[in-house]
Amino acid sequence: CDATVGGAGHSKLMLRTFKDMHIIGVDLDAHTIERAKEETLFAKDRIRFINNSYTSIKSINPASAFPKVFKKNRRYDGILADFGFNNFQIADDERGISYLKDGPLDMRFDREFTDITAADIINDGTSFELLEILKKFSEEKN
C-alpha cells in the first residue's frame, strides 16, 4: 500500500521493478490521484487508487481491490508513507501553499473534504486557537 501516493514516484518505481507487485495508492488529494493514474498507466492492472486519508488504510482490504489476485481478508505485505506536500501541490498557485507564489491562502490537500481554508482559520480564529495551532503543528514550541 502506498498510503500517500502523491505523484506516484515511489509506486511507479516499485511497479517497474517488481512485475508481480500490486499496489493500492491512497491520497487525500483527488487532483494528485489523477496525475498518479497517468504516471502508472503502464501497470494499470496492478494499481488501484482510493481518494482518502492514509488513516483509512486499515479499513481497506487488498482483496477487495484485487479480487482475482488476493484471497479474502488479505492484509498488506508492506506500507509506504511519504508524508508532506509534493512538488505539484507547492507549484500550484491556487493551492496557496508556497509563500513564493501569488495566490489565495488555501493550503488544503483536497477541496472536496472541507470548505475551510487557511485564510478562514487566520481571519476567523481566536488568538488562542491560532496559538494552539502554532504550538501543535509548527516547530516553534514557545
Side-chain angles (χ1 to χ4, degrees):
C1 176
D2 188 342
T4 54
V5 73
H10 295 105
S11 289
K12 188 165 57 170
L13 178 62
M14 289 187 294
L15 290 165
R16 286 193 195 281
T17 305
F18 305 104
K19 302 297 182 192
D20 61 341
M21 179 176 273
H22 291 76
I23 296 177
I24 296 172
V26 180
D27 207 292
L28 192 59
D29 185 341
H31 298 288
T32 298
I33 285 179
E34 291 307 313
R35 179 182 290 272
K37 284 179 181 177
E38 292 173 18
E39 292 293 320
T40 57
L41 278 174
F42 68 93
K44 65 182 177 184
D45 294 336
R46 297 187 293 129
I47 188 164
R48 302 288 184 273
F49 295 95
I50 296 174
N51 182 207
N52 210 328
S53 169
Y54 65 89
T55 60
S56 71
I57 64 172
K58 63 183 173 246
S59 64
I60 302 167
N61 183 347
S64 64
F66 300 102
K68 293 181 179 176
V69 178
F70 298 120
K71 293 180 180 177
K72 191 175 181 180
N73 299 323
R74 170 72 183 241
R75 299 314 312 156
Y76 301 109
D77 290 330
I79 298 171
L80 168 72
D82 183 6
F83 297 109
F85 293 102
N86 66 50
N87 290 338
F88 306 115
Q89 291 166 323
I90 293 169
D92 184 353
D93 296 356
E94 293 301 309
R95 298 251 182 189
I97 294 170
S98 173
Y99 63 87
L100 299 174
K101 301 281 185 173
D102 190 21
L105 184 57
D106 192 325
M107 300 186 82
R108 292 175 290 168
F109 274 107
D110 194 336
R111 297 173 183 133
E112 312 237 343
F113 282 91
T114 182
D115 293 331
I116 301 170
T117 66
D120 295 331
I121 292 169
I122 289 171
N123 292 326
D124 300 335
T126 67
S127 57
F128 177 77
E129 290 169 328
L130 294 175
L131 181 61
E132 288 301 306
I133 289 169
L134 290 173
K135 281 183 181 177
K136 185 174 181 179
F137 297 109
S138 76
E139 293 178 7
E140 184 62 42
K141 299 300 177 192
N142 297 321

